[in-house]
Amino acid sequence: MTLDLTKTRADFPILHQQVNGQPLVYLDNGATSQKPRQVIDALVRYYEHDNSNVHRGLHALSMRATDAYEGARARVAKFINAADPAEVLFTRGTTESINLVARSWGHAHLKPGDVVLTTEFEHHSNLVPWQQAAKAAGATLKYVPLLGADGEGGLDMAALDRLLTPQVKLFAFTHISNTLGTINPVAELCRRARAVGAVTVIDAAQSIGHGPLDVQAIGCDFLAFSGHKMCGPTGIGVLYGRRALLDKLAPDETGGGMVVSVTYEGATWKPAPERFEAGTPNVAGAIGLGAACDYLDSVGRERIAAHDDALVRIAMEKLSALPGIRIIGPRKGAERSGLVSFAFENVHAHDIVTFADEDGVALRGGHHCNQPLMRKLGLTSTTRASFYLYNTEHEIDRLVTSLRRIQNFFAG
Amino acid sequence: MQDLTDLYQSVILDHNRRPRNRGKLPTANRVAHGDNPSCGDQCTVYLRLDGDRIGEISFEGSGCAISQASASLMTLNLKGKTVPEAEALYADVHRLVTTGKVDEDNLSDLAALAGVHQFPARIKCATLGWHAALNAAKGDPITATTETHKD
């Protein structure tokens, strides 16, 4: 069940380079993943052989492009076990997906007195759209608290039960926290939300491609993710929506490709998914995303999940041994996804990232688009190392060596 | 490593470890806040303006070693200057951190910021406190930001 790391790393051309004279150690996968040759080849093949507009042309290239685009939709539907490919809407990414729900669903359903529920540890992309939607409707936005001084306790499930009242019309939460690494019990959260009739929206940006994901087993109404964090291209993402909800949802954007009939007086909409994909879509991006699904399944998503888990346990053990380190999120490797976010008392995250870069180690430093959470934890920034299928234990050692050098330099 | 020791000179490390004039200024008659939205760095600058002259200056905030050291050095260099003198000095500092050229005698210990120009992403760390200080000096009530778009 273990990954063949030599073979896997050989699939990613970008990994085989030196940065500042050192072999690259790429530990910024939470921000974006690298792309395997198989995905890059799919993009090149499309542009060299099939490039055309979709759903419009009757010529050979257009039909090929349309087949490939709709094939990618069916592939993604299978990847997340959607009941129907029409439940997969292509967007620019997680942010656009969530905004689409917040604007379209929010505009149609939210009223003064309603409550939108989210958590204290959402990425800004699953927070600001709900602030805006609640404001526009005169509804109230409430937050399920995070437990523990370092956010180690996860969601406060007792508080959730108190907060989940019949006034809650929508509950939006992350699958995996990009800052804490916390894995939320998404199926359980959906079950509790359903009991009060609330619609559920899951931000799956950090979980997609890191393990198996089944929207029917989770039981969510909407689920959003980006292609670029799962070995796919940038600029393509997905909003999964249950058919029954999509059929009743008005489009957010209008224009070509999403209409049945247009007169000078008005227009009528196609059903999902076309209703939500006005204009020429990102055809190449969708095809690249389909290729990424193929690639990840050829490696095996259970294997990837086990690999992430093994790496994060090693990283937690080795990083915990560094003097003065404060690690946020779940204490045990087993309870967290493949990322570790930490702070040193006397060295700011940006200084750490600059020094690590000098050693060829790519990290993320900052507030991770999570400013309210940082404030709650009494931090202004953390440094994050996030792992994926091509990372190795040796790379964690390189990280630790670099961090020791940084601590020594600033202790000077 | 040469570039990094240029960036993190001993003057910078010293001011990061022991920032000068850090904290609120009880006698301040001007205050301005600066934000670096992309990285979360913050800096509040307190001034006591005596007429056109900066009588006292202090800062509070959080950020990387470059931002903290630059703000600390700034307080030492702006105290006693008139507002136009402060603006002229900032023009020199800005040229220093963007080009690395030290062509002004009056930069003294600020020359330690010369290494910043090799790290374009860090220029805004070095200038955040200065933006806030000049806004405070000019009585500009808006929050200084190193980005053009801010909600």
Side-chain angles (χ1 to χ4, degrees):
Chain A
M1 261 299 275
T2 54
L3 265 172
D4 182 344
L5 270 172
T6 311
K7 185 169 171 288
T8 304
R9 288 182 66 82
D11 289 334
F12 292 81
I14 204 169
L15 297 178
H16 309 284
Q17 65 174 298
Q18 304 234 316
V19 168
N20 293 318
Q22 304 283 337
L24 167 66
V25 174
Y26 185 78
L27 299 180
D28 195 17
N29 295 287
T32 198
S33 68
Q34 298 303 345
K35 321 303 171 198
R37 171 61 67 199
Q38 290 83 338
V39 169
I40 299 166
D41 285 349
L43 294 172
V44 171
R45 204 162 46 238
Y46 169 71
Y47 278 124
E48 287 187 350
H49 297 282
D50 305 327
N51 177 56
S52 189
N53 212 324
V54 291
H55 300 143
R56 289 153 173 81
L58 296 174
H59 55 79
L61 295 189
S62 176
M63 286 187 279
R64 262 191 255 151
T66 302
D67 284 350
Y69 180 69
E70 291 306 325
R73 192 191 307 281
R75 183 65 189 87
V76 171
K78 190 172 157 229
F79 193 73
I80 60 173
N81 194 33
D84 180 346
E87 295 181 321
V88 171
L89 315 183
F90 285 124
T91 64
R92 278 191 294 124
T94 310
T95 299
E96 186 176 85
S97 297
I98 295 171
N99 273 280
L100 197 163
V101 183
R103 286 198 299 257
S104 286
W105 191 93
H107 180 72
H109 297 278
L110 289 176
K111 302 181 304 296
D114 286 347
V115 173
V116 174
L117 192 60
T118 185
T119 83
E120 284 185 337
F121 51 102
E122 298 304 317
H123 187 282
H124 292 165
S125 63
N126 199 28
L127 171 57
V128 183
W130 303 118
Q131 289 179 337
Q132 297 295 100
K135 246 179 231 163
T140 309
L141 182 59
K142 291 186 178 176
Y143 300 90
V144 184
L146 170 69
L147 290 172
D150 292 324
E152 72 277 14
L155 263 190
D156 184 340
M157 298 297 275
L160 171 67
D161 281 341
R162 288 194 298 276
L163 286 163
L164 263 182
T165 61
Q167 282 71 47
V168 176
K169 294 294 179 293
L170 183 141
F171 182 22
F173 47 90
T174 192
H175 191 176
I176 289 175
S177 161
N178 70 309
T179 306
L180 301 165
T182 312
I183 304 168
N184 272 329
V186 283
E188 174 63 16
L189 296 181
C190 288
R191 194 186 63 75
R192 294 195 195 189
R194 242 188 341 267
V196 298
V199 162
T200 48
V201 182
I202 299 180
D203 169 3
Q206 293 295 328
S207 57
I208 194 77
H210 283 265
L213 190 152
D214 180 333
V215 289
Q216 296 188 68
I218 292 170
C220 54
D221 292 308
F222 294 100
L223 181 134
F225 60 89
S226 300
H228 70 94
K229 293 191 207 282
M230 54 168 283
C231 297
T234 51
I236 187 76
V238 165
L239 174 65
Y240 159 82
R242 268 201 312 117
R243 188 69 195 256
L245 278 98
L246 291 182
D247 283 346
K248 287 185 283 183
L249 205 59
D252 181 40
E253 286 190 338
T254 52
M258 51 77 68
V259 285
V260 174
S261 155
V262 183
T263 63
Y264 286 121
E265 286 72 39
T268 54
W269 319 135
K270 283 183 183 169
E274 283 86 1
R275 184 189 300 175
F276 302 98
E277 294 180 3
T280 297
N282 182 354
V283 182
I287 290 166
L289 180 58
C293 294
D294 286 341
Y295 178 76
L296 292 170
D297 279 341
S298 76
V299 175
R301 276 185 279 166
E302 284 91 356
R303 270 198 200 97
I304 296 170
H307 182 70
D308 275 357
D309 183 54
L311 287 179
V312 82
R313 286 171 192 244
I314 294 165
M316 284 293 284
E317 192 188 318
K318 293 190 174 179
L319 290 172
S320 299
L322 293 174
I325 195 168
R326 179 182 173 197
I327 296 175
I328 59 170
R331 299 269 189 248
K332 288 187 195 137
E335 293 167 5
R336 59 163 68 224
S337 68
L339 68 88
V340 185
S341 201
F342 56 90
F344 289 142
E345 210 167 303
N346 297 320
V347 194
H348 190 272
H350 291 141
D351 298 316
I352 295 173
V353 172
T354 297
F355 271 76
D357 183 56
E358 194 71 6
D359 294 333
V361 180
L363 299 171
R364 171 77 184 270
H367 52 59
H368 311 290
C369 294
N370 231 313
Q371 289 175 14
L373 173 64
M374 287 285 137
R375 239 167 265 134
K376 178 185 164 75
L377 298 177
L379 291 162
T380 54
S381 64
T382 65
T383 304
R384 182 184 69 188
S386 48
F387 311 113
Y388 209 5
L389 69 165
Y390 35 70
N391 290 123
T392 67
E393 185 174 351
H394 173 67
E395 290 182 319
I396 293 174
D397 291 335
R398 290 264 313 274
L399 165 69
V400 172
T401 303
S402 184
L403 292 176
R404 283 194 192 281
R405 182 172 81 83
I406 295 164
Q407 286 193 309
N408 288 337
F409 184 88
F410 281 90
Chain B
M1 199 54 205
Q2 185 53 48
D3 288 356
L4 266 195
T5 43
D6 283 352
L7 181 61
Y8 292 89
Q9 293 187 21
S10 55
V11 173
I12 302 288
L13 292 174
D14 174 52
H15 277 264
N16 178 46
R17 249 179 241 130
R18 298 186 302 118
R20 321 297 198 267
N21 302 307
R22 191 186 171 110
K24 283 195 175 66
L25 184 67
T27 57
N29 52 16
R30 295 288 172 83
V31 59
H33 181 74
D35 271 326
N36 193 338
S38 64
C39 61
D41 285 2
Q42 295 183 3
C43 187
T44 303
V45 174
Y46 302 88
L47 293 183
R48 200 192 74 232
L49 271 191
D50 303 327
D52 194 28
R53 198 168 288 280
I54 298 170
E56 294 288 342
I57 177 168
S58 74
F59 80 102
E60 276 185 321
S62 63
C64 64
I66 309 302
S67 73
Q68 297 300 291
S70 181
S72 171
L73 284 163
M74 172 189 79
T75 61
L76 298 180
N77 280 274
L78 287 187
K79 187 176 173 180
K81 291 216 165 34
T82 65
V83 176
E85 284 168 351
E87 288 180 299
L89 180 60
Y90 175 61
D92 291 341
V93 169
H94 187 264
R95 188 159 56 248
L96 174 72
V97 298
T98 49
T99 68
K101 292 199 178 74
V102 191
D103 51 10
E104 307 292 333
D105 293 339
N106 59 348
L107 283 178
S108 63
D109 52 358
L110 288 169
L113 292 167
V116 172
H117 87 280
Q118 296 171 80
F119 297 84
R122 306 303 288 277
I123 292 169
K124 52 192 178 186
C125 310
T127 57
L128 180 64
W130 293 82
H131 284 294
L134 292 180
N135 279 356
K138 289 184 285 186
D140 198 340
I142 60 160
T143 296
T145 167
T146 52
E147 310 269 315
T148 44
H149 295 286
K150 187 166 179 296
D151 206 356

